[in-house]
Amino acid sequence: MTLFDLTGRTALITGSSGGLGLAMARGLAQSGAQIIIHGRNRDKLEAARDALSEEGHSVLTTSFDITDEAAIEQALAALDADGVTIDILVNNAGMQLRRPLVELERDQWDTVINTNLTSTFLLGRNVARQMIARGKGGKIINIGSLMSSVARPTVGAYTASKGGVRLLTQSMAAEWAEHNIQTNAIGPGYMITEMTQPLVDDPKFNDWIVGRTPSKRWGVPEDLVGTVVYLASSASSYVNGQIIYVDGGMLAVL
């Protein structure tokens, strides 16, 4: 077995019926993992499953509300009852809401924090409990953002949630490393997805991104594959509590 071979391991990737999640799920599958893709839209989820299956990958599906503790427990129990054990968890599902802080309502703040941060804690905790009970270790990969370290106007709730993901990742590593669980994070830069397409189509914003990024381009979902496979594999067995920014160099320059 090579350092990056994931044969025999099972990975659950939340928010993986499209976008960044689907690209990471495909990358993990191409490295040998059985994958469990997740999404709330059943039609989109089944279409993604069919496409991955046609490529020859071993694919399971699950659908639950990542902010609902009872739903998480039920979904994990169902997988366990089917003999499916999670070796790799990628906490990818999340949301964005653009609104100045002075205009942000409390319920909107709560929705972003619950979706991006609290869900990472809930699912990470429950999967870690299973990993600890099995005694074989595991990998937890949380998806942060450039906003895990810096801020921009109108995305205050998102920034707080992703900054929290970075420190939660460190806390998970501090508590679970002794159980041979490596918990790390990925901080994607500006990536072309359905969510960001309106920004790509905005000439002024697009010019700012291209000019601000040393690589002179937006990222694409496939740019995350190498990093997620590395963090899911034996190659990162002594890497813990880190966030790796995949941003074309944006954070490296003023």
Side-chain angles (χ1 to χ4, degrees):
M1 185 178 81
T2 67
L3 281 176
F4 300 97
D5 183 10
L6 301 179
T7 301
R9 303 182 197 180
T10 297
L12 167 60
I13 308 94
T14 64
S16 50
S17 59
L20 304 183
L22 180 57
M24 288 188 287
R26 177 176 280 111
L28 293 169
Q30 289 171 341
S31 293
Q34 173 180 250
I35 55 173
I36 309 166
I37 60 172
H38 160 273
R40 299 292 301 279
N41 184 316
R42 294 278 187 173
D43 291 340
K44 190 174 181 181
L45 186 62
E46 290 174 6
R49 178 200 60 200
D50 292 345
L52 290 165
S53 295
E54 288 175 5
E55 294 169 14
H57 305 307
S58 176
V59 188
L60 303 173
T61 63
T62 185
S63 182
F64 58 87
D65 182 350
I66 60 170
T67 67
D68 185 330
E69 187 170 6
I72 290 171
E73 292 174 353
Q74 186 176 29
L76 294 180
L79 290 169
D80 190 56
D82 289 337
V84 179
T85 58
I86 298 169
D87 306 294
I88 302 158
L89 169 64
V90 182
N91 278 310
N92 168 71
M95 66 168 294
Q96 174 65 286
L97 176 65
R98 298 180 184 279
R99 182 158 297 185
L101 285 171
V102 294
E103 299 176 9
L104 191 68
E105 300 295 336
R106 169 62 187 270
D107 63 332
Q108 295 171 326
W109 168 272
D110 287 345
T111 296
V112 175
I113 296 298
N114 288 338
T115 302
N116 294 348
L117 178 57
T118 305
S119 68
T120 299
F121 158 67
L122 291 173
L123 190 53
R125 180 199 63 185
N126 283 34
V127 169
R129 285 173 174 169
Q130 294 181 336
M131 290 176 173
I132 292 169
R134 289 199 308 270
K136 296 182 179 179
K139 302 282 190 171
I140 297 176
I141 303 164
N142 300 323
I143 303 303
S145 165
L146 290 176
M147 307 308 160
S148 293
S149 289
V150 295
R152 278 185 54 78
T154 76
V155 291
Y158 181 83
T159 301
S161 70
K162 292 300 186 178
V165 166
R166 177 172 60 84
L167 290 174
L168 176 61
T169 298
Q170 293 176 327
S171 296
M172 289 174 168
E175 296 194 17
W176 301 337
E178 65 179 294
H179 301 287
N180 193 28
I181 297 172
Q182 290 87 54
T183 308
N184 293 287
I186 299 174
Y190 283 91
M191 300 278 170
I192 299 175
T193 65
E194 292 179 10
M195 183 186 296
T196 61
Q197 192 60 52
L199 299 177
V200 178
D201 295 336
D202 180 334
K204 183 177 180 180
F205 195 87
N206 180 68
D207 288 347
W208 180 79
I209 291 295
V210 173
R212 178 70 176 76
T213 306
S215 294
K216 300 301 179 186
R217 68 173 178 87
W218 288 74
V220 294
E222 290 71 23
D223 287 324
L224 298 179
V225 170
T227 304
V228 76
V229 169
Y230 165 66
L231 292 177
S233 73
S234 299
S236 58
S237 63
Y238 200 58
V239 178
N240 226 330
Q242 304 302 310
I243 181 167
I244 300 176
Y245 290 101
V246 184
D247 66 351
M250 180 176 275
L251 280 182
V253 299
L254 291 175

